[in-house]
Amino acid sequence: IKKIAVLTSGGDAPGMNSAVRAVVFSANNLGIEVVGVLRGYEGLIDWETIPLGLDDVRNINNQGGTILFTSRSERFLDQKYRHTAAKNLRAHDVDAVVAIGGDGTLRGAIKFKDEGVNIVCIPGTIDRDVACSEYTLGFDTAANTAMEAIDKIRDSSVSHGRCSVVEVMGRKRGYIALWAGMATSADAIVLPEKWDGNFDYIINALRKRHTDGRNSYLVVVAEGVTDAGKLADLIQKETGIESRVSVLGYIQRGGQPTAKDRMYGSLMGAYAIEILRQGRGNRIVAIKNDILVDYDIAEAIDLHNNNLDSFQYQLSLMLAE
Ligand code: F6P
């Protein structure tokens, strides 16, 4: 392997820059040239690239977002454009691609390998929704950002004696909600994995606490499960507790990565280059039992190493009593 391309795709996630940096450092160590592809798969189609040397990745470990920019490429879903992207790689003598992103990025990679491209993926998304990996870059930072924001919301909630309903991100997974909710002692955490459409247990729990004389309440809801505004209205109507909604939104994607995201980004980036050095390819880097492993990208889709931990969920219910 003489030349590789690295890109970030899908939702930006803190820690992606650490992974890019480690890819560049590790490749440089082996005398492999690196090009950075801008805006994810879009940049492969349009061949928007920059050379990446050691000087280009200095002082990025602590930066949020991705220095390579990102996109959710609609065009890459079309085989015609994947073909163009593969032709571009061949025309520029690129031997392999390292793609950092979430579930959509992995699905794109699986199709891309049919164009004869060797691709190694690194799971990077705040949602922690890449099924084969216990960890995805950005989750720890996002969970901490959500926790800090909810702590602040709680201050206001206590001062007014209100109920705060806080919606957090996660796409179809409840990890951010579970972690941020448990860390802020939420009265109820609404998770997509456990939601049965029944509001009764939330209303009953809040009513009981109200009767017991509590004067602030917190409900953390994962996005997409239910309308957080409607839930706040329902709580107010059913319990008489004045309720407000806060949707945390994109604040969860930004900010300086935590030590964990910088460390795992560095480890995963270096591991991706190690896979290529060994002459392997079409793999995804993953964490299993807290160590680095890798899987065939097509098989990875069916692996479920990161199911929501039931013990953690039961604990969240018990601690809300
Ligand atoms: O995948 C990360 C994420 O932030 C999800 O939590 C959220 O559902 C989605 O991206 C938002 O996507 P977009 O950036 O396209 O608005």
Side-chain angles (χ1 to χ4, degrees), residues 10-12 72 125-127 129 169-172 176 223 250 253:
D12 54 294
R72 298 191 192 278
T125 161
I126 63 166
D127 302 332
D129 67 348
M169 279 185 167
R171 201 181 286 276
K172 296 198 168 80
I176 299 176
E223 66 175 346
Y250 293 91
R253 290 239 292 256

PDB file of all heavy atoms in Angstrom, residues 10-12 72 125-127 129 169-172 176 223 250 253, ligand 1:
ATOM      1  N   GLY A  10     -21.448  11.314   7.315  1.00  0.00           N
ATOM      2  CA  GLY A  10     -22.602  11.296   8.230  1.00  0.00           C
ATOM      3  C   GLY A  10     -22.492  12.424   9.245  1.00  0.00           C
ATOM      4  O   GLY A  10     -21.763  13.399   9.035  1.00  0.00           O
ATOM      5  N   GLY A  11     -23.194  12.291  10.358  1.00  0.00           N
ATOM      6  CA  GLY A  11     -23.164  13.338  11.391  1.00  0.00           C
ATOM      7  C   GLY A  11     -21.761  13.477  11.976  1.00  0.00           C
ATOM      8  O   GLY A  11     -21.125  12.468  12.289  1.00  0.00           O
ATOM      9  N   ASP A  12     -21.264  14.701  12.092  1.00  0.00           N
ATOM     10  CA  ASP A  12     -19.944  14.903  12.698  1.00  0.00           C
ATOM     11  C   ASP A  12     -19.971  14.419  14.151  1.00  0.00           C
ATOM     12  O   ASP A  12     -21.019  14.457  14.804  1.00  0.00           O
ATOM     13  CB  ASP A  12     -19.541  16.380  12.646  1.00  0.00           C
ATOM     14  CG  ASP A  12     -20.596  17.271  13.274  1.00  0.00           C
ATOM     15  OD1 ASP A  12     -21.701  17.358  12.725  1.00  0.00           O
ATOM     16  OD2 ASP A  12     -20.324  17.842  14.349  1.00  0.00           O
ATOM     17  N   ARG A  72     -24.152  13.888   4.284  1.00  0.00           N
ATOM     18  CA  ARG A  72     -24.928  12.653   4.122  1.00  0.00           C
ATOM     19  C   ARG A  72     -25.199  12.573   2.627  1.00  0.00           C
ATOM     20  O   ARG A  72     -26.094  13.248   2.115  1.00  0.00           O
ATOM     21  CB  ARG A  72     -26.241  12.733   4.903  1.00  0.00           C
ATOM     22  CG  ARG A  72     -26.041  12.897   6.407  1.00  0.00           C
ATOM     23  CD  ARG A  72     -27.337  12.693   7.148  1.00  0.00           C
ATOM     24  NE  ARG A  72     -27.225  13.122   8.532  1.00  0.00           N
ATOM     25  CZ  ARG A  72     -26.701  12.377   9.504  1.00  0.00           C
ATOM     26  NH1 ARG A  72     -26.220  11.182   9.242  1.00  0.00           N
ATOM     27  NH2 ARG A  72     -26.651  12.833  10.731  1.00  0.00           N
ATOM     28  N   THR A 125     -19.987   8.173  15.558  1.00  0.00           N
ATOM     29  CA  THR A 125     -21.307   8.815  15.620  1.00  0.00           C
ATOM     30  C   THR A 125     -21.688   8.956  17.087  1.00  0.00           C
ATOM     31  O   THR A 125     -21.438   8.034  17.880  1.00  0.00           O
ATOM     32  CB  THR A 125     -22.409   8.004  14.894  1.00  0.00           C
ATOM     33  OG1 THR A 125     -23.693   8.445  15.380  1.00  0.00           O
ATOM     34  CG2 THR A 125     -22.310   6.514  15.138  1.00  0.00           C
ATOM     35  N   ILE A 126     -22.306  10.069  17.432  1.00  0.00           N
ATOM     36  CA  ILE A 126     -22.700  10.273  18.827  1.00  0.00           C
ATOM     37  C   ILE A 126     -23.774   9.266  19.264  1.00  0.00           C
ATOM     38  O   ILE A 126     -23.987   9.056  20.449  1.00  0.00           O
ATOM     39  CB  ILE A 126     -23.203  11.716  19.095  1.00  0.00           C
ATOM     40  CG1 ILE A 126     -24.474  12.024  18.295  1.00  0.00           C
ATOM     41  CG2 ILE A 126     -22.106  12.724  18.825  1.00  0.00           C
ATOM     42  CD1 ILE A 126     -25.206  13.283  18.772  1.00  0.00           C
ATOM     43  N   ASP A 127     -24.448   8.637  18.288  1.00  0.00           N
ATOM     44  CA  ASP A 127     -25.607   7.790  18.610  1.00  0.00           C
ATOM     45  C   ASP A 127     -25.237   6.428  19.199  1.00  0.00           C
ATOM     46  O   ASP A 127     -26.079   5.762  19.785  1.00  0.00           O
ATOM     47  CB  ASP A 127     -26.453   7.527  17.353  1.00  0.00           C
ATOM     48  CG  ASP A 127     -26.938   8.807  16.722  1.00  0.00           C
ATOM     49  OD1 ASP A 127     -27.104   9.796  17.451  1.00  0.00           O
ATOM     50  OD2 ASP A 127     -27.138   8.822  15.487  1.00  0.00           O
ATOM     51  N   ASP A 129     -24.743   3.793  17.498  1.00  0.00           N
ATOM     52  CA  ASP A 129     -25.703   2.883  16.854  1.00  0.00           C
ATOM     53  C   ASP A 129     -25.069   2.032  15.766  1.00  0.00           C
ATOM     54  O   ASP A 129     -25.756   1.568  14.853  1.00  0.00           O
ATOM     55  CB  ASP A 129     -26.902   3.676  16.294  1.00  0.00           C
ATOM     56  CG  ASP A 129     -26.510   4.592  15.141  1.00  0.00           C
ATOM     57  OD1 ASP A 129     -25.301   4.791  14.930  1.00  0.00           O
ATOM     58  OD2 ASP A 129     -27.408   5.097  14.460  1.00  0.00           O
ATOM     59  N   MET A 169     -30.551  13.677  21.517  1.00  0.00           N
ATOM     60  CA  MET A 169     -30.400  12.981  20.235  1.00  0.00           C
ATOM     61  C   MET A 169     -30.152  11.484  20.435  1.00  0.00           C
ATOM     62  O   MET A 169     -30.106  10.999  21.566  1.00  0.00           O
ATOM     63  CB  MET A 169     -29.247  13.603  19.451  1.00  0.00           C
ATOM     64  CG  MET A 169     -29.613  14.870  18.718  1.00  0.00           C
ATOM     65  SD  MET A 169     -28.221  15.420  17.711  1.00  0.00           S
ATOM     66  CE  MET A 169     -29.051  16.645  16.682  1.00  0.00           C
ATOM     67  N   GLY A 170     -29.943  10.794  19.336  1.00  0.00           N
ATOM     68  CA  GLY A 170     -29.644   9.354  19.411  1.00  0.00           C
ATOM     69  C   GLY A 170     -30.195   8.568  18.233  1.00  0.00           C
ATOM     70  O   GLY A 170     -30.053   7.363  18.175  1.00  0.00           O
ATOM     71  N   ARG A 171     -30.873   9.266  17.337  1.00  0.00           N
ATOM     72  CA  ARG A 171     -31.560   8.631  16.206  1.00  0.00           C
ATOM     73  C   ARG A 171     -32.455   7.519  16.729  1.00  0.00           C
ATOM     74  O   ARG A 171     -33.382   7.812  17.480  1.00  0.00           O
ATOM     75  CB  ARG A 171     -30.557   8.121  15.176  1.00  0.00           C
ATOM     76  CG  ARG A 171     -31.173   7.917  13.798  1.00  0.00           C
ATOM     77  CD  ARG A 171     -30.190   7.399  12.811  1.00  0.00           C
ATOM     78  NE  ARG A 171     -29.236   8.403  12.380  1.00  0.00           N
ATOM     79  CZ  ARG A 171     -29.468   9.297  11.407  1.00  0.00           C
ATOM     80  NH1 ARG A 171     -30.602   9.282  10.759  1.00  0.00           N
ATOM     81  NH2 ARG A 171     -28.572  10.176  11.075  1.00  0.00           N
ATOM     82  N   LYS A 172     -32.150   6.243  16.456  1.00  0.00           N
ATOM     83  CA  LYS A 172     -33.073   5.194  16.923  1.00  0.00           C
ATOM     84  C   LYS A 172     -32.565   4.518  18.191  1.00  0.00           C
ATOM     85  O   LYS A 172     -33.093   3.490  18.614  1.00  0.00           O
ATOM     86  CB  LYS A 172     -33.272   4.155  15.821  1.00  0.00           C
ATOM     87  CG  LYS A 172     -33.950   4.739  14.593  1.00  0.00           C
ATOM     88  CD  LYS A 172     -34.538   3.638  13.724  1.00  0.00           C
ATOM     89  CE  LYS A 172     -35.443   4.177  12.666  1.00  0.00           C
ATOM     90  NZ  LYS A 172     -34.738   4.702  11.502  1.00  0.00           N
ATOM     91  N   ILE A 176     -27.716   8.015  24.586  1.00  0.00           N
ATOM     92  CA  ILE A 176     -27.467   9.353  25.153  1.00  0.00           C
ATOM     93  C   ILE A 176     -28.515   9.630  26.230  1.00  0.00           C
ATOM     94  O   ILE A 176     -28.203  10.124  27.319  1.00  0.00           O
ATOM     95  CB  ILE A 176     -27.483  10.444  24.059  1.00  0.00           C
ATOM     96  CG1 ILE A 176     -26.380  10.185  23.033  1.00  0.00           C
ATOM     97  CG2 ILE A 176     -27.324  11.836  24.680  1.00  0.00           C
ATOM     98  CD1 ILE A 176     -26.354  11.151  21.860  1.00  0.00           C
ATOM     99  N   GLU A 223     -34.874  11.405  21.180  1.00  0.00           N
ATOM    100  CA  GLU A 223     -35.577  11.962  20.016  1.00  0.00           C
ATOM    101  C   GLU A 223     -36.326  10.871  19.249  1.00  0.00           C
ATOM    102  O   GLU A 223     -35.899   9.720  19.213  1.00  0.00           O
ATOM    103  CB  GLU A 223     -34.582  12.648  19.071  1.00  0.00           C
ATOM    104  CG  GLU A 223     -33.613  11.697  18.424  1.00  0.00           C
ATOM    105  CD  GLU A 223     -32.704  12.343  17.393  1.00  0.00           C
ATOM    106  OE1 GLU A 223     -32.970  13.472  16.958  1.00  0.00           O
ATOM    107  OE2 GLU A 223     -31.709  11.704  17.020  1.00  0.00           O
ATOM    108  N   TYR A 250     -28.286  20.273  18.285  1.00  0.00           N
ATOM    109  CA  TYR A 250     -26.927  20.081  17.747  1.00  0.00           C
ATOM    110  C   TYR A 250     -25.810  20.420  18.717  1.00  0.00           C
ATOM    111  O   TYR A 250     -24.650  20.130  18.439  1.00  0.00           O
ATOM    112  CB  TYR A 250     -26.768  20.861  16.435  1.00  0.00           C
ATOM    113  CG  TYR A 250     -27.640  20.265  15.368  1.00  0.00           C
ATOM    114  CD1 TYR A 250     -28.935  20.727  15.169  1.00  0.00           C
ATOM    115  CD2 TYR A 250     -27.192  19.195  14.611  1.00  0.00           C
ATOM    116  CE1 TYR A 250     -29.762  20.140  14.229  1.00  0.00           C
ATOM    117  CE2 TYR A 250     -28.003  18.598  13.666  1.00  0.00           C
ATOM    118  CZ  TYR A 250     -29.291  19.076  13.476  1.00  0.00           C
ATOM    119  OH  TYR A 250     -30.092  18.479  12.550  1.00  0.00           O
ATOM    120  N   ARG A 253     -23.579  17.594  19.312  1.00  0.00           N
ATOM    121  CA  ARG A 253     -22.613  17.110  18.324  1.00  0.00           C
ATOM    122  C   ARG A 253     -21.278  17.848  18.414  1.00  0.00           C
ATOM    123  O   ARG A 253     -20.272  17.368  17.889  1.00  0.00           O
ATOM    124  CB  ARG A 253     -23.198  17.273  16.919  1.00  0.00           C
ATOM    125  CG  ARG A 253     -24.337  16.332  16.619  1.00  0.00           C
ATOM    126  CD  ARG A 253     -24.044  15.441  15.429  1.00  0.00           C
ATOM    127  NE  ARG A 253     -23.988  16.161  14.190  1.00  0.00           N
ATOM    128  CZ  ARG A 253     -24.954  16.142  13.271  1.00  0.00           C
ATOM    129  NH1 ARG A 253     -26.042  15.433  13.456  1.00  0.00           N
ATOM    130  NH2 ARG A 253     -24.817  16.802  12.160  1.00  0.00           N
TER     131      ARG A 253
HETATM  132  O1  F6P B   1     -26.345  10.688  13.782  1.00  0.00           O
HETATM  133  C1  F6P B   1     -26.128  11.769  14.604  1.00  0.00           C
HETATM  134  C2  F6P B   1     -27.349  12.624  14.686  1.00  0.00           C
HETATM  135  O2  F6P B   1     -27.023  13.788  15.399  1.00  0.00           O
HETATM  136  C3  F6P B   1     -28.590  11.956  15.267  1.00  0.00           C
HETATM  137  O3  F6P B   1     -28.557  11.913  16.672  1.00  0.00           O
HETATM  138  C4  F6P B   1     -29.679  12.809  14.698  1.00  0.00           C
HETATM  139  O4  F6P B   1     -30.881  12.070  14.606  1.00  0.00           O
HETATM  140  C5  F6P B   1     -29.159  13.141  13.344  1.00  0.00           C
HETATM  141  O5  F6P B   1     -27.755  13.003  13.404  1.00  0.00           O
HETATM  142  C6  F6P B   1     -29.456  14.515  12.806  1.00  0.00           C
HETATM  143  O6  F6P B   1     -29.029  14.514  11.486  1.00  0.00           O
HETATM  144  P1  F6P B   1     -28.751  15.778  10.586  1.00  0.00           P
HETATM  145  O7  F6P B   1     -27.351  16.240  10.883  1.00  0.00           O
HETATM  146  O8  F6P B   1     -28.829  15.252   9.205  1.00  0.00           O
HETATM  147  O9  F6P B   1     -29.780  16.805  10.939  1.00  0.00           O
END
